[in-house]
Amino acid sequence: MDYLFLLGRIVFGGYFIMNGYNHFKNHGVLTGYAQSKGVPMAREMVYVSGAMLFLGGLGFVLGVRTSLAATLLIIFLVVTTFKMHQYWKVADPMMQMGERINFYKNLGLLGGVIMTLAIPTPWAMSLITLF
């Protein structure tokens, strides 16, 4: 079971790591999107949110500072979900569908992250328990 838990952590945490990396790699495009949503200091916030995603995902993959990792991801997901994906304000049906999908995807991810707070620490096969 420990190996399945590790595999799940790699997949789940890897999702956030890749999205954090995307914030740095495509910061120009994401800055424009954030500006279109009225995010103050959009350029800086793309970098901050990228760091939150990357560090949160890395914490899950390594099993290190998992409460801090979860807190970073919870903050990111709550703010992003309700600021960036307000599908109820979008008139175009196709754009509304995309925002709705991202809104509910983020809610699902938020639920998963919150559940990690119930896992006793240190996590099995974490960097802490291996050394």
Side-chain angles (χ1 to χ4, degrees), residues 38-83:
V39 173
M41 299 181 357
R43 183 173 189 268
E44 292 81 3
M45 289 297 103
V46 169
Y47 285 118
V48 168
S49 61
M52 293 172 79
L53 286 164
F54 190 87
L55 293 172
L58 190 63
F60 280 4
V61 169
L62 299 177
V64 176
R65 306 286 309 260
T66 54
S67 293
L68 176 60
T71 300
L72 290 172
L73 295 174
I74 288 168
I75 292 168
F76 170 83
L77 287 165
V78 168
V79 172
T80 302
T81 300
F82 291 97
K83 175 67 176 170

Side-chain angles (χ1 to χ4, degrees), residues 112-127:
V113 171
I114 290 170
M115 284 191 291
T116 67
L117 293 172
I119 300 168
T121 56
W123 285 1
M125 300 189 73
S126 70
L127 197 59

